[in-house]
Amino acid sequence: YAEFVNSMPAPTLIDVVTMDPLEGNAVLNVDLPIAFSIIDRLVGGPGTHRPRLRELTEIEMALMNNVTEILM
């Protein structure tokens, strides 16, 4: 697991999710360029704007948490 985490770019979006009815947790890694495209589409943009890589704001994290909930 440590090798996996160390191989990811920084910053990155990692979610730990449960997979009911299965036991345990899973790790979901979303590349930030994809996350920014998803967020751009959610707020009405074309989904093609690629800002420089940076950490997500609290609002962007909330939007991505909603996306993760829907996906799971």
Short mmCIF file of all heavy atoms in Angstrom, two decimals:
data_model
loop_
_atom_site.label_atom_id
_atom_site.label_comp_id
_atom_site.label_asym_id
_atom_site.label_seq_id
_atom_site.Cartn_x
_atom_site.Cartn_y
_atom_site.Cartn_z
N TYR A 1 0.82 -1.19 0.00
CA TYR A 1 0.00 0.00 0.00
C TYR A 1 0.86 1.25 0.00
O TYR A 1 0.57 2.20 -0.72
CB TYR A 1 -0.95 -0.02 1.20
CG TYR A 1 -1.83 1.19 1.29
CD1 TYR A 1 -2.92 1.33 0.45
CD2 TYR A 1 -1.55 2.20 2.18
CE1 TYR A 1 -3.73 2.45 0.51
CE2 TYR A 1 -2.34 3.32 2.26
CZ TYR A 1 -3.44 3.44 1.43
OH TYR A 1 -4.23 4.55 1.49
N ALA A 2 1.92 1.26 0.80
CA ALA A 2 2.80 2.43 0.86
C ALA A 2 3.44 2.70 -0.50
O ALA A 2 3.56 3.85 -0.91
CB ALA A 2 3.87 2.23 1.92
N GLU A 3 3.83 1.65 -1.20
CA GLU A 3 4.41 1.82 -2.53
C GLU A 3 3.40 2.42 -3.50
O GLU A 3 3.72 3.29 -4.30
CB GLU A 3 4.90 0.47 -3.06
CG GLU A 3 5.63 0.57 -4.36
CD GLU A 3 6.17 -0.79 -4.81
OE1 GLU A 3 6.51 -1.61 -3.95
OE2 GLU A 3 6.22 -1.00 -6.04
N PHE A 4 2.14 1.98 -3.40
CA PHE A 4 1.07 2.52 -4.23
C PHE A 4 0.87 4.01 -3.95
O PHE A 4 0.80 4.82 -4.87
CB PHE A 4 -0.23 1.75 -3.99
CG PHE A 4 -1.45 2.39 -4.59
CD1 PHE A 4 -1.64 2.41 -5.96
CD2 PHE A 4 -2.41 2.98 -3.77
CE1 PHE A 4 -2.76 3.01 -6.51
CE2 PHE A 4 -3.53 3.57 -4.32
CZ PHE A 4 -3.71 3.58 -5.69
N VAL A 5 0.78 4.37 -2.69
CA VAL A 5 0.55 5.77 -2.30
C VAL A 5 1.73 6.64 -2.73
O VAL A 5 1.54 7.75 -3.24
CB VAL A 5 0.30 5.88 -0.79
CG1 VAL A 5 0.30 7.34 -0.34
CG2 VAL A 5 -1.02 5.22 -0.42
N ASN A 6 2.94 6.15 -2.57
CA ASN A 6 4.12 6.93 -2.95
C ASN A 6 4.26 7.10 -4.46
O ASN A 6 4.93 8.01 -4.92
CB ASN A 6 5.39 6.29 -2.39
CG ASN A 6 5.49 6.45 -0.89
OD1 ASN A 6 4.96 7.38 -0.32
ND2 ASN A 6 6.16 5.50 -0.25
N SER A 7 3.62 6.24 -5.24
CA SER A 7 3.71 6.34 -6.70
C SER A 7 2.73 7.35 -7.29
O SER A 7 2.84 7.68 -8.47
CB SER A 7 3.48 4.97 -7.34
OG SER A 7 2.12 4.59 -7.20
N MET A 8 1.79 7.83 -6.49
CA MET A 8 0.80 8.78 -7.00
C MET A 8 1.36 10.19 -7.02
O MET A 8 2.17 10.56 -6.17
CB MET A 8 -0.46 8.72 -6.14
CG MET A 8 -1.22 7.44 -6.31
SD MET A 8 -2.78 7.45 -5.46
CE MET A 8 -2.25 7.25 -3.79
N PRO A 9 0.91 11.00 -8.00
CA PRO A 9 1.38 12.38 -8.05
C PRO A 9 0.80 13.18 -6.88
O PRO A 9 -0.22 12.82 -6.31
CB PRO A 9 0.83 12.90 -9.38
CG PRO A 9 -0.32 12.02 -9.69
CD PRO A 9 -0.01 10.68 -9.08
N ALA A 10 1.48 14.25 -6.53
CA ALA A 10 0.99 15.12 -5.47
C ALA A 10 0.66 16.47 -6.08
O ALA A 10 1.47 16.99 -6.84
CB ALA A 10 2.03 15.27 -4.38
N PRO A 11 -0.45 17.05 -5.85
CA PRO A 11 -1.58 16.53 -5.08
C PRO A 11 -2.42 15.57 -5.92
O PRO A 11 -2.39 15.59 -7.15
CB PRO A 11 -2.38 17.78 -4.73
CG PRO A 11 -2.11 18.73 -5.85
CD PRO A 11 -0.69 18.42 -6.30
N THR A 12 -3.18 14.73 -5.24
CA THR A 12 -4.08 13.79 -5.89
C THR A 12 -5.33 13.65 -5.04
O THR A 12 -5.35 14.05 -3.88
CB THR A 12 -3.39 12.43 -6.11
OG1 THR A 12 -4.18 11.64 -6.97
CG2 THR A 12 -3.17 11.70 -4.82
N LEU A 13 -6.37 13.10 -5.61
CA LEU A 13 -7.63 12.92 -4.89
C LEU A 13 -7.79 11.44 -4.57
O LEU A 13 -7.86 10.61 -5.48
CB LEU A 13 -8.81 13.40 -5.74
CG LEU A 13 -10.20 13.21 -5.15
CD1 LEU A 13 -10.36 13.99 -3.87
CD2 LEU A 13 -11.26 13.64 -6.15
N ILE A 14 -7.80 11.12 -3.29
CA ILE A 14 -7.97 9.74 -2.83
C ILE A 14 -9.20 9.68 -1.94
O ILE A 14 -9.32 10.48 -1.01
CB ILE A 14 -6.74 9.27 -2.03
CG1 ILE A 14 -5.49 9.35 -2.87
CG2 ILE A 14 -6.96 7.85 -1.51
CD1 ILE A 14 -4.22 9.03 -2.10
N ASP A 15 -10.10 8.76 -2.23
CA ASP A 15 -11.27 8.51 -1.39
C ASP A 15 -11.20 7.09 -0.88
O ASP A 15 -10.89 6.16 -1.63
CB ASP A 15 -12.57 8.67 -2.18
CG ASP A 15 -12.97 10.11 -2.36
OD1 ASP A 15 -12.67 10.93 -1.48
OD2 ASP A 15 -13.61 10.42 -3.38
N VAL A 16 -11.49 6.91 0.39
CA VAL A 16 -11.64 5.58 0.97
C VAL A 16 -13.14 5.34 1.05
O VAL A 16 -13.87 6.12 1.66
CB VAL A 16 -10.98 5.49 2.36
CG1 VAL A 16 -11.19 4.12 2.96
CG2 VAL A 16 -9.50 5.81 2.27
N VAL A 17 -13.60 4.27 0.40
CA VAL A 17 -15.03 4.00 0.30
C VAL A 17 -15.33 2.61 0.83
O VAL A 17 -14.50 1.71 0.78
CB VAL A 17 -15.53 4.13 -1.16
CG1 VAL A 17 -15.38 5.55 -1.65
CG2 VAL A 17 -14.80 3.18 -2.07
N THR A 18 -16.55 2.45 1.36
CA THR A 18 -17.03 1.13 1.75
C THR A 18 -17.76 0.53 0.58
O THR A 18 -18.28 1.24 -0.28
CB THR A 18 -17.98 1.22 2.96
OG1 THR A 18 -19.07 2.06 2.62
CG2 THR A 18 -17.27 1.77 4.18
N MET A 19 -17.76 -0.78 0.53
CA MET A 19 -18.38 -1.47 -0.60
C MET A 19 -19.39 -2.49 -0.08
O MET A 19 -19.24 -3.69 -0.28
CB MET A 19 -17.31 -2.12 -1.46
CG MET A 19 -16.33 -1.09 -1.94
SD MET A 19 -15.39 -1.42 -3.41
CE MET A 19 -16.42 -2.25 -4.50
N ASP A 20 -20.40 -1.99 0.65
CA ASP A 20 -21.43 -2.88 1.20
C ASP A 20 -22.08 -3.67 0.09
O ASP A 20 -22.31 -3.11 -0.99
CB ASP A 20 -22.48 -2.05 1.96
CG ASP A 20 -21.89 -1.40 3.20
OD1 ASP A 20 -20.96 -1.99 3.77
OD2 ASP A 20 -22.37 -0.32 3.59
N PRO A 21 -22.34 -4.89 0.24
CA PRO A 21 -22.27 -5.72 1.44
C PRO A 21 -20.92 -6.37 1.67
O PRO A 21 -20.76 -7.17 2.58
CB PRO A 21 -23.33 -6.78 1.19
CG PRO A 21 -23.29 -6.99 -0.28
CD PRO A 21 -22.99 -5.63 -0.87
N LEU A 22 -19.92 -6.03 0.89
CA LEU A 22 -18.58 -6.59 1.09
C LEU A 22 -17.94 -5.99 2.33
O LEU A 22 -18.23 -4.86 2.72
CB LEU A 22 -17.70 -6.31 -0.13
CG LEU A 22 -18.19 -6.85 -1.47
CD1 LEU A 22 -17.28 -6.38 -2.59
CD2 LEU A 22 -18.28 -8.37 -1.44
N GLU A 23 -17.07 -6.76 2.95
CA GLU A 23 -16.35 -6.27 4.12
C GLU A 23 -15.15 -5.43 3.69
O GLU A 23 -14.61 -5.62 2.61
CB GLU A 23 -15.87 -7.44 4.97
CG GLU A 23 -17.00 -8.25 5.59
CD GLU A 23 -16.48 -9.38 6.45
OE1 GLU A 23 -15.31 -9.32 6.88
OE2 GLU A 23 -17.24 -10.32 6.68
N GLY A 24 -14.75 -4.54 4.56
CA GLY A 24 -13.55 -3.75 4.31
C GLY A 24 -13.82 -2.49 3.50
O GLY A 24 -14.97 -2.11 3.26
N ASN A 25 -12.74 -1.86 3.11
CA ASN A 25 -12.80 -0.60 2.37
C ASN A 25 -12.04 -0.73 1.06
O ASN A 25 -11.23 -1.63 0.88
CB ASN A 25 -12.18 0.53 3.19
CG ASN A 25 -12.95 0.79 4.46
OD1 ASN A 25 -14.16 0.70 4.50
ND2 ASN A 25 -12.23 1.11 5.52
N ALA A 26 -12.28 0.21 0.17
CA ALA A 26 -11.56 0.29 -1.09
C ALA A 26 -10.99 1.70 -1.23
O ALA A 26 -11.51 2.64 -0.63
CB ALA A 26 -12.48 -0.02 -2.27
N VAL A 27 -9.95 1.83 -2.01
CA VAL A 27 -9.33 3.13 -2.26
C VAL A 27 -9.66 3.52 -3.69
O VAL A 27 -9.43 2.77 -4.63
CB VAL A 27 -7.80 3.07 -2.06
CG1 VAL A 27 -7.16 4.39 -2.42
CG2 VAL A 27 -7.48 2.69 -0.62
N LEU A 28 -10.22 4.71 -3.85
CA LEU A 28 -10.55 5.26 -5.16
C LEU A 28 -9.62 6.44 -5.43
O LEU A 28 -9.62 7.41 -4.67
CB LEU A 28 -12.01 5.70 -5.20
CG LEU A 28 -12.50 6.36 -6.47
CD1 LEU A 28 -12.49 5.35 -7.62
CD2 LEU A 28 -13.88 6.93 -6.28
N ASN A 29 -8.83 6.35 -6.48
CA ASN A 29 -7.90 7.41 -6.85
C ASN A 29 -8.42 8.08 -8.11
O ASN A 29 -8.66 7.42 -9.13
CB ASN A 29 -6.51 6.82 -7.09
CG ASN A 29 -5.52 7.84 -7.57
OD1 ASN A 29 -5.61 9.01 -7.22
ND2 ASN A 29 -4.58 7.42 -8.37
N VAL A 30 -8.60 9.40 -8.06
CA VAL A 30 -9.05 10.17 -9.21
C VAL A 30 -7.96 11.18 -9.56
O VAL A 30 -7.57 11.98 -8.71
CB VAL A 30 -10.38 10.91 -8.92
CG1 VAL A 30 -10.83 11.71 -10.12
CG2 VAL A 30 -11.46 9.94 -8.48
N ASP A 31 -7.46 11.11 -10.78
CA ASP A 31 -6.45 12.09 -11.21
C ASP A 31 -7.07 13.48 -11.20
O ASP A 31 -8.23 13.67 -11.59
CB ASP A 31 -5.95 11.77 -12.61
CG ASP A 31 -5.10 10.52 -12.66
OD1 ASP A 31 -4.51 10.16 -11.63
OD2 ASP A 31 -5.03 9.89 -13.73
N LEU A 32 -6.30 14.46 -10.75
CA LEU A 32 -6.84 15.82 -10.63
C LEU A 32 -7.31 16.42 -11.95
O LEU A 32 -8.33 17.11 -11.96
CB LEU A 32 -5.83 16.73 -9.94
CG LEU A 32 -5.75 16.55 -8.43
CD1 LEU A 32 -4.79 17.56 -7.83
CD2 LEU A 32 -7.10 16.67 -7.78
N PRO A 33 -6.63 16.21 -13.08
CA PRO A 33 -7.19 16.76 -14.32
C PRO A 33 -8.61 16.23 -14.61
O PRO A 33 -9.47 16.98 -15.06
CB PRO A 33 -6.20 16.31 -15.39
CG PRO A 33 -4.90 16.18 -14.66
CD PRO A 33 -5.29 15.65 -13.31
N ILE A 34 -8.86 14.97 -14.31
CA ILE A 34 -10.20 14.41 -14.50
C ILE A 34 -11.16 15.04 -13.49
O ILE A 34 -12.29 15.39 -13.84
CB ILE A 34 -10.17 12.88 -14.37
CG1 ILE A 34 -9.37 12.28 -15.51
CG2 ILE A 34 -11.58 12.30 -14.34
CD1 ILE A 34 -9.09 10.81 -15.38
N ALA A 35 -10.72 15.18 -12.25
CA ALA A 35 -11.57 15.78 -11.22
C ALA A 35 -11.95 17.21 -11.61
O ALA A 35 -13.11 17.61 -11.48
CB ALA A 35 -10.86 15.76 -9.87
N PHE A 36 -10.97 17.99 -12.10
CA PHE A 36 -11.28 19.36 -12.50
C PHE A 36 -12.25 19.40 -13.68
O PHE A 36 -13.10 20.28 -13.75
CB PHE A 36 -10.00 20.13 -12.83
CG PHE A 36 -9.21 20.56 -11.61
CD1 PHE A 36 -7.88 20.23 -11.48
CD2 PHE A 36 -9.82 21.28 -10.60
CE1 PHE A 36 -7.16 20.61 -10.37
CE2 PHE A 36 -9.12 21.68 -9.47
CZ PHE A 36 -7.78 21.34 -9.36
N SER A 37 -12.15 18.46 -14.60
CA SER A 37 -13.09 18.40 -15.73
C SER A 37 -14.49 18.07 -15.23
O SER A 37 -15.48 18.66 -15.69
CB SER A 37 -12.65 17.35 -16.75
OG SER A 37 -11.49 17.78 -17.40
N ILE A 38 -14.60 17.13 -14.30
CA ILE A 38 -15.91 16.78 -13.73
C ILE A 38 -16.52 17.98 -13.02
O ILE A 38 -17.70 18.30 -13.21
CB ILE A 38 -15.76 15.59 -12.76
CG1 ILE A 38 -15.41 14.32 -13.53
CG2 ILE A 38 -17.04 15.39 -11.95
CD1 ILE A 38 -15.00 13.15 -12.64
N ILE A 39 -15.71 18.65 -12.21
CA ILE A 39 -16.20 19.83 -11.48
C ILE A 39 -16.64 20.92 -12.45
O ILE A 39 -17.69 21.54 -12.26
CB ILE A 39 -15.11 20.34 -10.50
CG1 ILE A 39 -14.90 19.33 -9.39
CG2 ILE A 39 -15.48 21.71 -9.94
CD1 ILE A 39 -13.64 19.54 -8.58
N ASP A 40 -15.86 21.14 -13.50
CA ASP A 40 -16.21 22.15 -14.49
C ASP A 40 -17.56 21.85 -15.13
O ASP A 40 -18.39 22.73 -15.30
CB ASP A 40 -15.11 22.24 -15.55
CG ASP A 40 -15.26 23.44 -16.47
OD1 ASP A 40 -15.54 24.55 -15.95
OD2 ASP A 40 -15.09 23.28 -17.69
N ARG A 41 -17.80 20.58 -15.46
CA ARG A 41 -19.10 20.18 -16.04
C ARG A 41 -20.23 20.36 -15.03
O ARG A 41 -21.33 20.80 -15.40
CB ARG A 41 -19.06 18.73 -16.49
CG ARG A 41 -18.19 18.46 -17.70
CD ARG A 41 -18.76 19.03 -18.95
NE ARG A 41 -19.99 18.35 -19.28
CZ ARG A 41 -20.80 18.69 -20.25
NH1 ARG A 41 -20.49 19.71 -21.02
NH2 ARG A 41 -21.90 18.04 -20.48
N LEU A 42 -19.98 20.06 -13.77
CA LEU A 42 -21.01 20.18 -12.75
C LEU A 42 -21.47 21.62 -12.54
O LEU A 42 -22.62 21.86 -12.20
CB LEU A 42 -20.53 19.60 -11.41
CG LEU A 42 -20.42 18.08 -11.34
CD1 LEU A 42 -19.75 17.67 -10.03
CD2 LEU A 42 -21.79 17.44 -11.47
N VAL A 43 -20.56 22.56 -12.73
CA VAL A 43 -20.91 23.97 -12.52
C VAL A 43 -21.27 24.68 -13.82
O VAL A 43 -21.35 25.90 -13.87
CB VAL A 43 -19.80 24.73 -11.76
CG1 VAL A 43 -19.59 24.15 -10.38
CG2 VAL A 43 -18.50 24.74 -12.53
N GLY A 44 -21.48 23.91 -14.89
CA GLY A 44 -21.99 24.48 -16.13
C GLY A 44 -20.98 24.74 -17.21
O GLY A 44 -21.32 25.28 -18.26
N GLY A 45 -19.74 24.38 -17.00
CA GLY A 45 -18.71 24.61 -18.00
C GLY A 45 -18.65 23.48 -19.01
O GLY A 45 -19.36 22.48 -18.90
N PRO A 46 -17.76 23.61 -19.99
CA PRO A 46 -17.65 22.59 -21.03
C PRO A 46 -16.86 21.35 -20.58
O PRO A 46 -16.86 20.33 -21.25
CB PRO A 46 -16.90 23.31 -22.15
CG PRO A 46 -16.09 24.33 -21.44
CD PRO A 46 -16.93 24.78 -20.27
N GLY A 47 -16.17 21.44 -19.45
CA GLY A 47 -15.40 20.31 -18.97
C GLY A 47 -14.03 20.19 -19.60
O GLY A 47 -13.35 19.20 -19.42
N THR A 48 -13.63 21.22 -20.32
CA THR A 48 -12.33 21.16 -21.00
C THR A 48 -11.30 22.07 -20.36
O THR A 48 -10.13 21.98 -20.69
CB THR A 48 -12.48 21.56 -22.48
OG1 THR A 48 -13.06 22.85 -22.55
CG2 THR A 48 -13.34 20.56 -23.22
N HIS A 49 -11.71 22.95 -19.48
CA HIS A 49 -10.77 23.88 -18.83
C HIS A 49 -9.86 23.10 -17.90
O HIS A 49 -10.31 22.35 -17.06
CB HIS A 49 -11.52 24.96 -18.06
CG HIS A 49 -10.62 25.91 -17.35
ND1 HIS A 49 -9.76 26.74 -18.01
CD2 HIS A 49 -10.42 26.15 -16.04
CE1 HIS A 49 -9.08 27.46 -17.13
NE2 HIS A 49 -9.48 27.11 -15.92
N ARG A 50 -8.56 23.27 -18.06
CA ARG A 50 -7.59 22.56 -17.23
C ARG A 50 -6.74 23.58 -16.47
O ARG A 50 -5.74 24.07 -16.98
CB ARG A 50 -6.65 21.70 -18.09
CG ARG A 50 -7.34 20.72 -18.98
CD ARG A 50 -7.87 19.55 -18.17
NE ARG A 50 -8.71 18.74 -19.02
CZ ARG A 50 -8.60 17.45 -19.15
NH1 ARG A 50 -7.72 16.80 -18.48
NH2 ARG A 50 -9.40 16.80 -19.96
N PRO A 51 -7.16 23.93 -15.23
CA PRO A 51 -6.33 24.86 -14.46
C PRO A 51 -5.03 24.17 -14.04
O PRO A 51 -4.91 22.95 -14.11
CB PRO A 51 -7.19 25.19 -13.25
CG PRO A 51 -8.08 24.00 -13.09
CD PRO A 51 -8.31 23.47 -14.48
N ARG A 52 -4.07 24.96 -13.60
CA ARG A 52 -2.83 24.34 -13.13
C ARG A 52 -3.16 23.43 -11.96
O ARG A 52 -4.14 23.64 -11.24
CB ARG A 52 -1.83 25.41 -12.72
CG ARG A 52 -2.25 26.22 -11.52
CD ARG A 52 -1.16 27.19 -11.09
NE ARG A 52 -1.62 28.00 -9.97
CZ ARG A 52 -1.67 27.59 -8.71
NH1 ARG A 52 -1.30 26.38 -8.40
NH2 ARG A 52 -2.11 28.38 -7.76
N LEU A 53 -2.37 22.40 -11.77
CA LEU A 53 -2.62 21.46 -10.70
C LEU A 53 -2.44 22.13 -9.35
O LEU A 53 -1.44 22.81 -9.12
CB LEU A 53 -1.71 20.24 -10.82
CG LEU A 53 -2.01 19.31 -11.96
CD1 LEU A 53 -1.08 18.10 -11.92
CD2 LEU A 53 -3.46 18.84 -11.93
N ARG A 54 -3.43 21.98 -8.52
CA ARG A 54 -3.42 22.55 -7.18
C ARG A 54 -4.34 21.68 -6.33
O ARG A 54 -5.00 20.79 -6.83
CB ARG A 54 -3.94 23.99 -7.22
CG ARG A 54 -5.35 24.06 -7.81
CD ARG A 54 -5.94 25.45 -7.71
NE ARG A 54 -7.19 25.55 -8.43
CZ ARG A 54 -8.35 25.04 -8.04
NH1 ARG A 54 -8.44 24.39 -6.91
NH2 ARG A 54 -9.45 25.18 -8.77
N GLU A 55 -4.35 21.94 -5.04
CA GLU A 55 -5.25 21.21 -4.17
C GLU A 55 -6.67 21.69 -4.41
O GLU A 55 -6.90 22.84 -4.79
CB GLU A 55 -4.85 21.40 -2.72
CG GLU A 55 -3.52 20.75 -2.38
CD GLU A 55 -3.22 20.80 -0.90
OE1 GLU A 55 -4.15 21.01 -0.09
OE2 GLU A 55 -2.04 20.62 -0.57
N LEU A 56 -7.63 20.80 -4.16
CA LEU A 56 -9.04 21.15 -4.33
C LEU A 56 -9.50 22.03 -3.18
O LEU A 56 -9.06 21.87 -2.04
CB LEU A 56 -9.91 19.89 -4.37
CG LEU A 56 -9.67 18.93 -5.53
CD1 LEU A 56 -10.51 17.68 -5.34
CD2 LEU A 56 -10.00 19.58 -6.84
N THR A 57 -10.41 22.96 -3.48
CA THR A 57 -11.02 23.77 -2.43
C THR A 57 -12.06 22.93 -1.70
O THR A 57 -12.42 21.83 -2.12
CB THR A 57 -11.69 25.02 -3.02
OG1 THR A 57 -12.79 24.60 -3.84
CG2 THR A 57 -10.72 25.85 -3.85
N GLU A 58 -12.58 23.46 -0.59
CA GLU A 58 -13.60 22.73 0.17
C GLU A 58 -14.85 22.51 -0.67
O GLU A 58 -15.47 21.45 -0.59
CB GLU A 58 -13.95 23.49 1.44
CG GLU A 58 -12.86 23.45 2.49
CD GLU A 58 -13.28 24.13 3.77
OE1 GLU A 58 -14.45 24.02 4.16
OE2 GLU A 58 -12.41 24.78 4.39
N ILE A 59 -15.23 23.49 -1.48
CA ILE A 59 -16.41 23.35 -2.33
C ILE A 59 -16.17 22.28 -3.38
O ILE A 59 -17.04 21.43 -3.64
CB ILE A 59 -16.77 24.70 -2.98
CG1 ILE A 59 -17.21 25.70 -1.91
CG2 ILE A 59 -17.84 24.53 -4.06
CD1 ILE A 59 -17.39 27.10 -2.39
N GLU A 60 -14.99 22.28 -4.00
CA GLU A 60 -14.67 21.26 -5.00
C GLU A 60 -14.63 19.86 -4.37
O GLU A 60 -15.09 18.89 -4.97
CB GLU A 60 -13.33 21.58 -5.66
CG GLU A 60 -13.38 22.83 -6.52
CD GLU A 60 -12.01 23.34 -6.93
OE1 GLU A 60 -11.01 23.07 -6.23
OE2 GLU A 60 -11.94 24.02 -7.97
N MET A 61 -14.12 19.77 -3.13
CA MET A 61 -14.10 18.48 -2.44
C MET A 61 -15.53 17.99 -2.19
O MET A 61 -15.83 16.81 -2.36
CB MET A 61 -13.35 18.59 -1.11
CG MET A 61 -11.86 18.63 -1.26
SD MET A 61 -11.17 17.10 -1.90
CE MET A 61 -11.62 15.95 -0.64
N ALA A 62 -16.43 18.90 -1.80
CA ALA A 62 -17.82 18.52 -1.56
C ALA A 62 -18.47 18.02 -2.85
O ALA A 62 -19.20 17.02 -2.84
CB ALA A 62 -18.59 19.70 -0.98
N LEU A 63 -18.20 18.69 -3.96
CA LEU A 63 -18.75 18.25 -5.24
C LEU A 63 -18.23 16.86 -5.61
O LEU A 63 -19.00 16.00 -6.04
CB LEU A 63 -18.39 19.25 -6.35
CG LEU A 63 -19.12 20.59 -6.31
CD1 LEU A 63 -18.50 21.56 -7.31
CD2 LEU A 63 -20.60 20.42 -6.57
N MET A 64 -16.93 16.64 -5.42
CA MET A 64 -16.36 15.33 -5.75
C MET A 64 -16.84 14.24 -4.79
O MET A 64 -17.01 13.09 -5.20
CB MET A 64 -14.84 15.39 -5.77
CG MET A 64 -14.28 16.14 -6.97
SD MET A 64 -14.88 15.52 -8.56
CE MET A 64 -14.25 13.85 -8.58
N ASN A 65 -17.11 14.59 -3.54
CA ASN A 65 -17.70 13.62 -2.61
C ASN A 65 -19.08 13.19 -3.08
O ASN A 65 -19.43 12.00 -3.01
CB ASN A 65 -17.77 14.18 -1.20
CG ASN A 65 -16.42 14.20 -0.51
OD1 ASN A 65 -15.53 13.44 -0.86
ND2 ASN A 65 -16.28 15.06 0.48
N ASN A 66 -19.86 14.13 -3.61
CA ASN A 66 -21.17 13.79 -4.15
C ASN A 66 -21.04 12.88 -5.36
O ASN A 66 -21.81 11.92 -5.52
CB ASN A 66 -21.95 15.05 -4.52
CG ASN A 66 -22.40 15.84 -3.32
OD1 ASN A 66 -22.49 15.32 -2.22
ND2 ASN A 66 -22.69 17.11 -3.52
N VAL A 67 -20.08 13.15 -6.22
CA VAL A 67 -19.84 12.30 -7.40
C VAL A 67 -19.47 10.88 -6.96
O VAL A 67 -19.99 9.90 -7.49
CB VAL A 67 -18.75 12.91 -8.31
CG1 VAL A 67 -18.31 11.93 -9.37
CG2 VAL A 67 -19.24 14.20 -8.93
N THR A 68 -18.59 10.78 -5.97
CA THR A 68 -18.17 9.48 -5.46
C THR A 68 -19.37 8.72 -4.89
O THR A 68 -19.52 7.52 -5.12
CB THR A 68 -17.07 9.64 -4.40
OG1 THR A 68 -15.97 10.33 -4.97
CG2 THR A 68 -16.61 8.30 -3.88
N GLU A 69 -20.20 9.41 -4.13
CA GLU A 69 -21.40 8.78 -3.56
C GLU A 69 -22.29 8.21 -4.67
O GLU A 69 -22.79 7.09 -4.55
CB GLU A 69 -22.20 9.78 -2.72
CG GLU A 69 -21.51 10.26 -1.48
CD GLU A 69 -21.78 9.35 -0.31
OE1 GLU A 69 -22.83 8.70 -0.29
OE2 GLU A 69 -20.90 9.29 0.57
N ILE A 70 -22.47 8.96 -5.72
CA ILE A 70 -23.32 8.50 -6.84
C ILE A 70 -22.69 7.30 -7.53
O ILE A 70 -23.37 6.34 -7.87
CB ILE A 70 -23.58 9.65 -7.83
CG1 ILE A 70 -24.47 10.71 -7.17
CG2 ILE A 70 -24.20 9.15 -9.12
CD1 ILE A 70 -24.56 12.01 -7.94
N LEU A 71 -21.38 7.35 -7.75
CA LEU A 71 -20.68 6.26 -8.42
C LEU A 71 -20.74 4.97 -7.62
O LEU A 71 -20.83 3.88 -8.17
CB LEU A 71 -19.22 6.61 -8.70
CG LEU A 71 -18.98 7.67 -9.77
CD1 LEU A 71 -17.50 8.02 -9.82
CD2 LEU A 71 -19.45 7.16 -11.10
N MET A 72 -20.66 5.09 -6.32
CA MET A 72 -20.65 3.90 -5.47
C MET A 72 -22.05 3.41 -5.22
O MET A 72 -22.34 2.34 -4.89
CB MET A 72 -19.95 4.17 -4.13
CG MET A 72 -18.48 4.41 -4.29
SD MET A 72 -17.65 2.93 -4.86
CE MET A 72 -16.66 3.57 -6.15
#
